[in-house]
PDB file of all heavy atoms in Angstrom:
ATOM      1  N   TYR A  27    -105.548-130.744  92.248  1.00 98.00           N
ATOM      2  CA  TYR A  27    -104.900-129.573  93.007  1.00 98.00           C
ATOM      3  C   TYR A  27    -105.289-129.601  94.510  1.00 98.00           C
ATOM      4  O   TYR A  27    -106.505-129.803  94.781  1.00 98.00           O
ATOM      5  CB  TYR A  27    -105.249-128.251  92.354  1.00 98.00           C
ATOM      6  CG  TYR A  27    -104.742-128.183  90.887  1.00 98.00           C
ATOM      7  CD1 TYR A  27    -105.628-128.317  89.792  1.00 98.00           C
ATOM      8  CD2 TYR A  27    -103.331-128.047  90.759  1.00 98.00           C
ATOM      9  CE1 TYR A  27    -105.101-128.340  88.537  1.00 98.00           C
ATOM     10  CE2 TYR A  27    -102.793-128.022  89.461  1.00 98.00           C
ATOM     11  CZ  TYR A  27    -103.646-128.185  88.372  1.00 98.00           C
ATOM     12  OH  TYR A  27    -103.205-128.194  87.017  1.00 98.00           O
ATOM     13  N   TYR A  28    -104.314-129.378  95.355  1.00 98.00           N
ATOM     14  CA  TYR A  28    -104.541-129.416  96.790  1.00 98.00           C
ATOM     15  C   TYR A  28    -103.925-128.187  97.455  1.00 98.00           C
ATOM     16  O   TYR A  28    -103.040-127.692  97.005  1.00 98.00           O
ATOM     17  CB  TYR A  28    -103.932-130.706  97.407  1.00 98.00           C
ATOM     18  CG  TYR A  28    -104.599-131.975  97.072  1.00 98.00           C
ATOM     19  CD1 TYR A  28    -104.621-132.550  95.850  1.00 98.00           C
ATOM     20  CD2 TYR A  28    -105.464-132.556  98.001  1.00 98.00           C
ATOM     21  CE1 TYR A  28    -105.367-133.659  95.570  1.00 98.00           C
ATOM     22  CE2 TYR A  28    -106.140-133.679  97.846  1.00 98.00           C
ATOM     23  CZ  TYR A  28    -106.101-134.287  96.512  1.00 98.00           C
ATOM     24  OH  TYR A  28    -106.906-135.395  96.254  1.00 98.00           O
ATOM     25  N   ALA A  29    -104.468-127.937  98.651  1.00 97.00           N
ATOM     26  CA  ALA A  29    -103.812-126.993  99.602  1.00 97.00           C
ATOM     27  C   ALA A  29    -103.221-127.822 100.742  1.00 97.00           C
ATOM     28  O   ALA A  29    -103.926-128.608 101.371  1.00 97.00           O
ATOM     29  CB  ALA A  29    -104.777-125.860 100.017  1.00 97.00           C
ATOM     30  N   ASP A  30    -102.095-127.406 101.252  1.00 96.00           N
ATOM     31  CA  ASP A  30    -101.486-127.906 102.378  1.00 96.00           C
ATOM     32  C   ASP A  30    -101.892-127.043 103.656  1.00 96.00           C
ATOM     33  O   ASP A  30    -101.423-125.954 103.781  1.00 96.00           O
ATOM     34  CB  ASP A  30     -99.895-127.903 102.300  1.00 96.00           C
ATOM     35  CG  ASP A  30     -99.174-128.575 103.426  1.00 96.00           C
ATOM     36  OD1 ASP A  30     -99.858-128.895 104.380  1.00 96.00           O
ATOM     37  OD2 ASP A  30     -97.921-128.679 103.335  1.00 96.00           O
ATOM     38  N   ASP A  31    -102.782-127.617 104.468  1.00 94.00           N
ATOM     39  CA  ASP A  31    -103.334-126.896 105.570  1.00 94.00           C
ATOM     40  C   ASP A  31    -102.455-127.099 106.895  1.00 94.00           C
ATOM     41  O   ASP A  31    -102.871-126.591 107.931  1.00 94.00           O
ATOM     42  CB  ASP A  31    -104.689-127.307 105.856  1.00 94.00           C
ATOM     43  CG  ASP A  31    -105.748-126.784 104.792  1.00 94.00           C
ATOM     44  OD1 ASP A  31    -105.430-125.792 104.132  1.00 94.00           O
ATOM     45  OD2 ASP A  31    -106.783-127.325 104.606  1.00 94.00           O
ATOM     46  N   GLY A  32    -101.277-127.777 106.749  1.00 91.00           N
ATOM     47  CA  GLY A  32    -100.363-127.861 107.819  1.00 91.00           C
ATOM     48  C   GLY A  32    -100.560-129.171 108.556  1.00 91.00           C
ATOM     49  O   GLY A  32    -101.450-129.959 108.413  1.00 91.00           O
ATOM     50  N   LYS A  33     -99.509-129.347 109.399  1.00 89.00           N
ATOM     51  CA  LYS A  33     -99.410-130.713 110.192  1.00 89.00           C
ATOM     52  C   LYS A  33    -100.397-130.703 111.341  1.00 89.00           C
ATOM     53  O   LYS A  33    -100.645-131.852 111.872  1.00 89.00           O
ATOM     54  CB  LYS A  33     -98.081-130.886 110.651  1.00 89.00           C
ATOM     55  CG  LYS A  33     -96.942-131.002 109.620  1.00 89.00           C
ATOM     56  CD  LYS A  33     -95.547-131.031 110.238  1.00 89.00           C
ATOM     57  CE  LYS A  33     -94.492-131.168 109.153  1.00 89.00           C
ATOM     58  NZ  LYS A  33     -93.115-131.250 109.733  1.00 89.00           N
ATOM     59  N   ASP A  34    -101.096-129.649 111.727  1.00 87.00           N
ATOM     60  CA  ASP A  34    -101.777-129.617 112.888  1.00 87.00           C
ATOM     61  C   ASP A  34    -103.263-129.910 112.640  1.00 87.00           C
ATOM     62  O   ASP A  34    -104.066-130.008 113.597  1.00 87.00           O
ATOM     63  CB  ASP A  34    -101.822-128.251 113.674  1.00 87.00           C
ATOM     64  CG  ASP A  34    -100.344-128.002 114.070  1.00 87.00           C
ATOM     65  OD1 ASP A  34     -99.561-128.969 114.346  1.00 87.00           O
ATOM     66  OD2 ASP A  34     -99.938-126.767 114.138  1.00 87.00           O
ATOM     67  N   VAL A  35    -103.669-130.177 111.408  1.00 88.00           N
ATOM     68  CA  VAL A  35    -105.045-130.497 111.088  1.00 88.00           C
ATOM     69  C   VAL A  35    -105.212-131.941 110.858  1.00 88.00           C
ATOM     70  O   VAL A  35    -104.183-132.731 110.488  1.00 88.00           O
ATOM     71  CB  VAL A  35    -105.501-129.694 109.926  1.00 88.00           C
ATOM     72  CG1 VAL A  35    -105.513-128.158 110.307  1.00 88.00           C
ATOM     73  CG2 VAL A  35    -104.811-129.949 108.719  1.00 88.00           C
ATOM     74  N   LEU A  36    -106.409-132.545 110.893  1.00 88.00           N
ATOM     75  CA  LEU A  36    -106.766-133.939 110.776  1.00 88.00           C
ATOM     76  C   LEU A  36    -106.325-134.363 109.393  1.00 88.00           C
ATOM     77  O   LEU A  36    -105.661-135.424 109.077  1.00 88.00           O
ATOM     78  CB  LEU A  36    -108.191-134.269 111.060  1.00 88.00           C
ATOM     79  CG  LEU A  36    -108.532-135.732 111.164  1.00 88.00           C
ATOM     80  CD1 LEU A  36    -107.731-136.430 112.195  1.00 88.00           C
ATOM     81  CD2 LEU A  36    -110.006-135.945 111.313  1.00 88.00           C
ATOM     82  N   GLU A  37    -106.745-133.677 108.371  1.00 91.00           N
ATOM     83  CA  GLU A  37    -106.495-133.876 106.958  1.00 91.00           C
ATOM     84  C   GLU A  37    -105.563-132.795 106.431  1.00 91.00           C
ATOM     85  O   GLU A  37    -106.124-131.679 106.121  1.00 91.00           O
ATOM     86  CB  GLU A  37    -107.666-134.066 106.199  1.00 91.00           C
ATOM     87  CG  GLU A  37    -108.594-135.272 106.475  1.00 91.00           C
ATOM     88  CD  GLU A  37    -109.723-135.656 105.517  1.00 91.00           C
ATOM     89  OE1 GLU A  37    -109.573-135.147 104.392  1.00 91.00           O
ATOM     90  OE2 GLU A  37    -110.646-136.252 105.998  1.00 91.00           O
ATOM     91  N   ARG A  38    -104.328-133.046 106.361  1.00 95.00           N
ATOM     92  CA  ARG A  38    -103.417-132.005 105.936  1.00 95.00           C
ATOM     93  C   ARG A  38    -103.608-131.485 104.584  1.00 95.00           C
ATOM     94  O   ARG A  38    -103.537-130.323 104.215  1.00 95.00           O
ATOM     95  CB  ARG A  38    -101.953-132.504 106.139  1.00 95.00           C
ATOM     96  CG  ARG A  38    -100.873-131.471 105.660  1.00 95.00           C
ATOM     97  CD  ARG A  38     -99.530-131.827 106.006  1.00 95.00           C
ATOM     98  NE  ARG A  38     -98.524-130.927 105.525  1.00 95.00           N
ATOM     99  CZ  ARG A  38     -97.242-131.068 105.815  1.00 95.00           C
ATOM    100  NH1 ARG A  38     -96.775-132.036 106.519  1.00 95.00           N
ATOM    101  NH2 ARG A  38     -96.397-130.066 105.386  1.00 95.00           N
ATOM    102  N   PHE A  39    -103.808-132.434 103.567  1.00 96.00           N
ATOM    103  CA  PHE A  39    -103.858-131.990 102.129  1.00 96.00           C
ATOM    104  C   PHE A  39    -105.424-131.933 101.800  1.00 96.00           C
ATOM    105  O   PHE A  39    -106.117-133.063 101.789  1.00 96.00           O
ATOM    106  CB  PHE A  39    -103.154-133.015 101.357  1.00 96.00           C
ATOM    107  CG  PHE A  39    -101.715-132.985 101.627  1.00 96.00           C
ATOM    108  CD1 PHE A  39    -101.070-134.128 102.300  1.00 96.00           C
ATOM    109  CD2 PHE A  39    -100.924-131.915 101.396  1.00 96.00           C
ATOM    110  CE1 PHE A  39     -99.674-134.098 102.645  1.00 96.00           C
ATOM    111  CE2 PHE A  39     -99.518-131.885 101.595  1.00 96.00           C
ATOM    112  CZ  PHE A  39     -99.004-133.028 102.322  1.00 96.00           C
ATOM    113  N   ARG A  40    -105.851-130.906 101.414  1.00 97.00           N
ATOM    114  CA  ARG A  40    -107.280-130.499 101.197  1.00 97.00           C
ATOM    115  C   ARG A  40    -107.442-130.283  99.623  1.00 97.00           C
ATOM    116  O   ARG A  40    -106.798-129.506  99.001  1.00 97.00           O
ATOM    117  CB  ARG A  40    -107.746-129.320 101.928  1.00 97.00           C
ATOM    118  CG  ARG A  40    -109.161-128.832 101.574  1.00 97.00           C
ATOM    119  CD  ARG A  40    -109.583-127.815 102.619  1.00 97.00           C
ATOM    120  NE  ARG A  40    -108.605-126.702 102.739  1.00 97.00           N
ATOM    121  CZ  ARG A  40    -108.549-125.580 102.038  1.00 97.00           C
ATOM    122  NH1 ARG A  40    -109.541-125.400 101.034  1.00 97.00           N
ATOM    123  NH2 ARG A  40    -107.632-124.616 102.165  1.00 97.00           N
ATOM    124  N   TYR A  41    -108.379-131.073  99.041  1.00 98.00           N
ATOM    125  CA  TYR A  41    -108.624-130.930  97.565  1.00 98.00           C
ATOM    126  C   TYR A  41    -109.186-129.537  97.265  1.00 98.00           C
ATOM    127  O   TYR A  41    -110.209-129.204  97.859  1.00 98.00           O
ATOM    128  CB  TYR A  41    -109.481-132.140  97.103  1.00 98.00           C
ATOM    129  CG  TYR A  41    -109.802-132.004  95.557  1.00 98.00           C
ATOM    130  CD1 TYR A  41    -108.845-132.422  94.678  1.00 98.00           C
ATOM    131  CD2 TYR A  41    -111.066-131.671  95.052  1.00 98.00           C
ATOM    132  CE1 TYR A  41    -109.072-132.424  93.350  1.00 98.00           C
ATOM    133  CE2 TYR A  41    -111.248-131.604  93.744  1.00 98.00           C
ATOM    134  CZ  TYR A  41    -110.277-131.978  92.898  1.00 98.00           C
ATOM    135  OH  TYR A  41    -110.518-131.927  91.465  1.00 98.00           O
ATOM    136  N   ILE A  42    -108.638-128.862  96.325  1.00 98.00           N
ATOM    137  CA  ILE A  42    -109.200-127.659  95.880  1.00 98.00           C
ATOM    138  C   ILE A  42    -109.415-127.466  94.374  1.00 98.00           C
ATOM    139  O   ILE A  42    -109.543-126.456  93.834  1.00 98.00           O
ATOM    140  CB  ILE A  42    -108.242-126.417  96.363  1.00 98.00           C
ATOM    141  CG1 ILE A  42    -106.878-126.626  95.837  1.00 98.00           C
ATOM    142  CG2 ILE A  42    -108.187-126.309  97.880  1.00 98.00           C
ATOM    143  CD1 ILE A  42    -105.973-125.340  96.015  1.00 98.00           C
ATOM    144  N   GLY A  43    -109.314-128.724  93.681  1.00 98.00           N
ATOM    145  CA  GLY A  43    -109.522-128.763  92.284  1.00 98.00           C
ATOM    146  C   GLY A  43    -110.939-128.608  91.836  1.00 98.00           C
ATOM    147  O   GLY A  43    -111.853-128.398  92.727  1.00 98.00           O
ATOM    148  N   ILE A  44    -111.204-128.746  90.561  1.00 98.00           N
ATOM    149  CA  ILE A  44    -112.539-128.600  89.998  1.00 98.00           C
ATOM    150  C   ILE A  44    -113.392-129.911  90.210  1.00 98.00           C
ATOM    151  O   ILE A  44    -112.768-131.026  90.397  1.00 98.00           O
ATOM    152  CB  ILE A  44    -112.496-128.254  88.463  1.00 98.00           C
ATOM    153  CG1 ILE A  44    -111.945-129.311  87.663  1.00 98.00           C
ATOM    154  CG2 ILE A  44    -111.663-127.047  88.393  1.00 98.00           C
ATOM    155  CD1 ILE A  44    -112.172-129.126  86.145  1.00 98.00           C
ATOM    156  N   ASN A  45    -114.645-129.797  90.054  1.00 98.00           N
ATOM    157  CA  ASN A  45    -115.571-130.917  89.994  1.00 98.00           C
ATOM    158  C   ASN A  45    -115.243-131.626  88.723  1.00 98.00           C
ATOM    159  O   ASN A  45    -115.283-131.155  87.628  1.00 98.00           O
ATOM    160  CB  ASN A  45    -117.049-130.436  89.930  1.00 98.00           C
ATOM    161  CG  ASN A  45    -118.013-131.489  89.969  1.00 98.00           C
ATOM    162  OD1 ASN A  45    -117.641-132.654  89.483  1.00 98.00           O
ATOM    163  ND2 ASN A  45    -119.207-131.245  90.408  1.00 98.00           N
ATOM    164  N   LYS A  46    -114.868-132.988  88.894  1.00 97.00           N
ATOM    165  CA  LYS A  46    -114.497-133.794  87.714  1.00 97.00           C
ATOM    166  C   LYS A  46    -115.509-133.955  86.632  1.00 97.00           C
ATOM    167  O   LYS A  46    -115.292-134.286  85.515  1.00 97.00           O
ATOM    168  CB  LYS A  46    -113.976-135.203  88.146  1.00 97.00           C
ATOM    169  CG  LYS A  46    -112.758-135.046  88.997  1.00 97.00           C
ATOM    170  CD  LYS A  46    -111.512-134.501  88.392  1.00 97.00           C
ATOM    171  CE  LYS A  46    -110.326-134.628  89.124  1.00 97.00           C
ATOM    172  NZ  LYS A  46    -109.105-133.989  88.563  1.00 97.00           N
ATOM    173  N   GLU A  47    -116.812-133.644  87.055  1.00 98.00           N
ATOM    174  CA  GLU A  47    -117.945-133.687  86.004  1.00 98.00           C
ATOM    175  C   GLU A  47    -117.797-132.618  84.975  1.00 98.00           C
ATOM    176  O   GLU A  47    -118.219-132.821  83.823  1.00 98.00           O
ATOM    177  CB  GLU A  47    -119.225-133.499  86.770  1.00 98.00           C
ATOM    178  CG  GLU A  47    -120.528-133.712  85.874  1.00 98.00           C
ATOM    179  CD  GLU A  47    -121.738-133.527  86.611  1.00 98.00           C
ATOM    180  OE1 GLU A  47    -121.765-133.512  87.906  1.00 98.00           O
ATOM    181  OE2 GLU A  47    -122.842-133.375  85.979  1.00 98.00           O
ATOM    182  N   ILE A  48    -117.041-131.546  85.199  1.00 98.00           N
ATOM    183  CA  ILE A  48    -116.871-130.482  84.311  1.00 98.00           C
ATOM    184  C   ILE A  48    -116.073-130.970  83.069  1.00 98.00           C
ATOM    185  O   ILE A  48    -116.434-130.536  81.978  1.00 98.00           O
ATOM    186  CB  ILE A  48    -116.115-129.266  84.968  1.00 98.00           C
ATOM    187  CG1 ILE A  48    -117.049-128.768  86.078  1.00 98.00           C
ATOM    188  CG2 ILE A  48    -115.726-128.319  83.964  1.00 98.00           C
ATOM    189  CD1 ILE A  48    -116.283-127.706  86.921  1.00 98.00           C
ATOM    190  N   GLU A  49    -115.117-131.787  83.212  1.00 97.00           N
ATOM    191  CA  GLU A  49    -114.291-132.085  82.071  1.00 97.00           C
ATOM    192  C   GLU A  49    -115.050-132.932  81.069  1.00 97.00           C
ATOM    193  O   GLU A  49    -114.644-133.173  79.896  1.00 97.00           O
ATOM    194  CB  GLU A  49    -113.067-132.815  82.480  1.00 97.00           C
ATOM    195  CG  GLU A  49    -113.194-134.182  83.120  1.00 97.00           C
ATOM    196  CD  GLU A  49    -111.948-134.883  83.603  1.00 97.00           C
ATOM    197  OE1 GLU A  49    -111.189-135.311  82.645  1.00 97.00           O
ATOM    198  OE2 GLU A  49    -111.682-134.904  84.773  1.00 97.00           O
ATOM    199  N   THR A  50    -116.213-133.565  81.395  1.00 97.00           N
ATOM    200  CA  THR A  50    -117.034-134.342  80.513  1.00 97.00           C
ATOM    201  C   THR A  50    -118.114-133.640  79.857  1.00 97.00           C
ATOM    202  O   THR A  50    -118.800-134.069  78.970  1.00 97.00           O
ATOM    203  CB  THR A  50    -117.669-135.493  81.309  1.00 97.00           C
ATOM    204  OG1 THR A  50    -118.686-134.963  82.139  1.00 97.00           O
ATOM    205  CG2 THR A  50    -116.760-136.215  82.118  1.00 97.00           C
ATOM    206  N   LEU A  51    -118.184-132.265  80.117  1.00 98.00           N
ATOM    207  CA  LEU A  51    -119.305-131.450  79.462  1.00 98.00           C
ATOM    208  C   LEU A  51    -118.938-131.269  77.952  1.00 98.00           C
ATOM    209  O   LEU A  51    -117.770-130.906  77.655  1.00 98.00           O
ATOM    210  CB  LEU A  51    -119.285-130.096  80.125  1.00 98.00           C
ATOM    211  CG  LEU A  51    -119.794-130.032  81.608  1.00 98.00           C
ATOM    212  CD1 LEU A  51    -119.633-128.614  82.225  1.00 98.00           C
ATOM    213  CD2 LEU A  51    -121.287-130.384  81.722  1.00 98.00           C
ATOM    214  N   PRO A  52    -119.955-131.438  77.085  1.00 98.00           N
ATOM    215  CA  PRO A  52    -119.735-131.311  75.670  1.00 98.00           C
ATOM    216  C   PRO A  52    -119.319-129.787  75.255  1.00 98.00           C
ATOM    217  O   PRO A  52    -118.738-129.615  74.250  1.00 98.00           O
ATOM    218  CB  PRO A  52    -120.998-131.683  74.974  1.00 98.00           C
ATOM    219  CG  PRO A  52    -122.090-131.565  76.101  1.00 98.00           C
ATOM    220  CD  PRO A  52    -121.317-131.882  77.409  1.00 98.00           C
ATOM    221  N   GLN A  53    -119.727-128.831  76.026  1.00 98.00           N
ATOM    222  CA  GLN A  53    -119.460-127.449  75.669  1.00 98.00           C
ATOM    223  C   GLN A  53    -118.036-127.007  76.104  1.00 98.00           C
ATOM    224  O   GLN A  53    -117.733-125.867  75.673  1.00 98.00           O
ATOM    225  CB  GLN A  53    -120.484-126.493  76.216  1.00 98.00           C
ATOM    226  CG  GLN A  53    -120.681-126.569  77.741  1.00 98.00           C
ATOM    227  CD  GLN A  53    -121.800-127.526  78.151  1.00 98.00           C
ATOM    228  OE1 GLN A  53    -121.779-128.690  77.837  1.00 98.00           O
ATOM    229  NE2 GLN A  53    -122.813-126.949  78.863  1.00 98.00           N
ATOM    230  N   VAL A  54    -117.274-127.871  76.784  1.00 98.00           N
ATOM    231  CA  VAL A  54    -115.945-127.499  77.185  1.00 98.00           C
ATOM    232  C   VAL A  54    -115.009-127.530  75.975  1.00 98.00           C
ATOM    233  O   VAL A  54    -115.080-128.429  75.146  1.00 98.00           O
ATOM    234  CB  VAL A  54    -115.415-128.424  78.272  1.00 98.00           C
ATOM    235  CG1 VAL A  54    -113.896-128.246  78.490  1.00 98.00           C
ATOM    236  CG2 VAL A  54    -116.192-128.189  79.645  1.00 98.00           C
ATOM    237  N   ARG A  55    -114.208-126.466  75.903  1.00 98.00           N
ATOM    238  CA  ARG A  55    -113.073-126.340  74.840  1.00 98.00           C
ATOM    239  C   ARG A  55    -111.804-126.381  75.593  1.00 98.00           C
ATOM    240  O   ARG A  55    -111.482-125.303  76.201  1.00 98.00           O
ATOM    241  CB  ARG A  55    -113.341-125.246  73.925  1.00 98.00           C
ATOM    242  CG  ARG A  55    -114.636-125.209  73.209  1.00 98.00           C
ATOM    243  CD  ARG A  55    -114.702-126.359  72.241  1.00 98.00           C
ATOM    244  NE  ARG A  55    -115.953-126.324  71.367  1.00 98.00           N
ATOM    245  CZ  ARG A  55    -117.059-127.058  71.726  1.00 98.00           C
ATOM    246  NH1 ARG A  55    -116.951-127.751  72.811  1.00 98.00           N
ATOM    247  NH2 ARG A  55    -118.066-127.014  70.884  1.00 98.00           N
ATOM    248  N   PHE A  56    -110.991-127.469  75.500  1.00 98.00           N
ATOM    249  CA  PHE A  56    -109.681-127.391  76.219  1.00 98.00           C
ATOM    250  C   PHE A  56    -108.611-126.709  75.314  1.00 98.00           C
ATOM    251  O   PHE A  56    -108.580-126.987  74.134  1.00 98.00           O
ATOM    252  CB  PHE A  56    -109.210-128.890  76.447  1.00 98.00           C
ATOM    253  CG  PHE A  56    -110.084-129.576  77.524  1.00 98.00           C
ATOM    254  CD1 PHE A  56    -110.943-130.607  77.233  1.00 98.00           C
ATOM    255  CD2 PHE A  56    -109.915-129.144  78.925  1.00 98.00           C
ATOM    256  CE1 PHE A  56    -111.653-131.243  78.217  1.00 98.00           C
ATOM    257  CE2 PHE A  56    -110.672-129.720  79.868  1.00 98.00           C
ATOM    258  CZ  PHE A  56    -111.523-130.863  79.526  1.00 98.00           C
ATOM    259  N   LEU A  57    -107.790-125.963  76.077  1.00 98.00           N
ATOM    260  CA  LEU A  57    -106.753-125.221  75.432  1.00 98.00           C
ATOM    261  C   LEU A  57    -105.404-125.645  75.911  1.00 98.00           C
ATOM    262  O   LEU A  57    -105.273-126.161  76.978  1.00 98.00           O
ATOM    263  CB  LEU A  57    -106.874-123.710  75.636  1.00 98.00           C
ATOM    264  CG  LEU A  57    -108.141-123.000  75.385  1.00 98.00           C
ATOM    265  CD1 LEU A  57    -108.144-121.523  75.802  1.00 98.00           C
ATOM    266  CD2 LEU A  57    -108.430-123.069  73.791  1.00 98.00           C
ATOM    267  N   ASN A  58    -104.427-125.489  75.101  1.00 98.00           N
ATOM    268  CA  ASN A  58    -102.989-125.793  75.526  1.00 98.00           C
ATOM    269  C   ASN A  58    -102.166-124.608  75.149  1.00 98.00           C
ATOM    270  O   ASN A  58    -101.528-124.571  74.190  1.00 98.00           O
ATOM    271  CB  ASN A  58    -102.507-127.039  74.735  1.00 98.00           C
ATOM    272  CG  ASN A  58    -101.127-127.443  75.190  1.00 98.00           C
ATOM    273  OD1 ASN A  58    -100.723-127.086  76.236  1.00 98.00           O
ATOM    274  ND2 ASN A  58    -100.567-128.324  74.458  1.00 98.00           N
ATOM    275  N   GLY A  59    -102.260-123.690  76.105  1.00 98.00           N
ATOM    276  CA  GLY A  59    -101.560-122.350  75.836  1.00 98.00           C
ATOM    277  C   GLY A  59    -102.378-121.229  75.310  1.00 98.00           C
ATOM    278  O   GLY A  59    -103.629-121.295  75.587  1.00 98.00           O
ATOM    279  N   ASP A  60    -101.786-120.371  74.556  1.00 98.00           N
ATOM    280  CA  ASP A  60    -102.520-119.132  74.011  1.00 98.00           C
ATOM    281  C   ASP A  60    -103.585-119.554  73.083  1.00 98.00           C
ATOM    282  O   ASP A  60    -103.547-120.554  72.388  1.00 98.00           O
ATOM    283  CB  ASP A  60    -101.440-118.209  73.428  1.00 98.00           C
ATOM    284  CG  ASP A  60    -100.480-117.706  74.422  1.00 98.00           C
ATOM    285  OD1 ASP A  60    -100.510-118.117  75.563  1.00 98.00           O
ATOM    286  OD2 ASP A  60     -99.670-116.729  74.118  1.00 98.00           O
ATOM    287  N   ALA A  61    -104.568-118.692  72.886  1.00 98.00           N
ATOM    288  CA  ALA A  61    -105.664-118.892  71.971  1.00 98.00           C
ATOM    289  C   ALA A  61    -106.349-117.634  71.558  1.00 98.00           C
ATOM    290  O   ALA A  61    -106.485-116.772  72.450  1.00 98.00           O
ATOM    291  CB  ALA A  61    -106.651-119.891  72.446  1.00 98.00           C
ATOM    292  N   VAL A  62    -106.729-117.536  70.279  1.00 98.00           N
ATOM    293  CA  VAL A  62    -107.489-116.337  69.838  1.00 98.00           C
ATOM    294  C   VAL A  62    -109.001-116.865  69.633  1.00 98.00           C
ATOM    295  O   VAL A  62    -109.139-117.807  68.940  1.00 98.00           O
ATOM    296  CB  VAL A  62    -106.998-115.832  68.533  1.00 98.00           C
ATOM    297  CG1 VAL A  62    -107.968-114.621  68.033  1.00 98.00           C
ATOM    298  CG2 VAL A  62    -105.681-115.198  68.741  1.00 98.00           C
TER     299      VAL A  62
END
């Protein structure tokens, strides 16, 4: 995920996503839509 900071900045597209290390954590439970 990125933010578009406009044409007037040096790096227009700025990464705003999560630290990729998070997806490797054993305690993470991935969901696909609603969940109880």
Side-chain angles (χ1 to χ4, degrees):
Y27 297 105
Y28 283 78
D30 182 352
D31 288 336
K33 298 178 181 179
D34 298 330
V35 298
L36 188 61
E37 292 188 25
R38 175 173 180 173
F39 299 109
R40 175 171 50 92
Y41 181 73
I42 59 170
I44 70 172
N45 181 336
K46 296 299 185 181
E47 187 181 343
I48 294 172
E49 65 180 290
T50 68
L51 295 171
Q53 56 268 55
V54 167
R55 299 294 182 267
F56 288 111
L57 304 177
N58 186 13
D60 298 4
V62 176

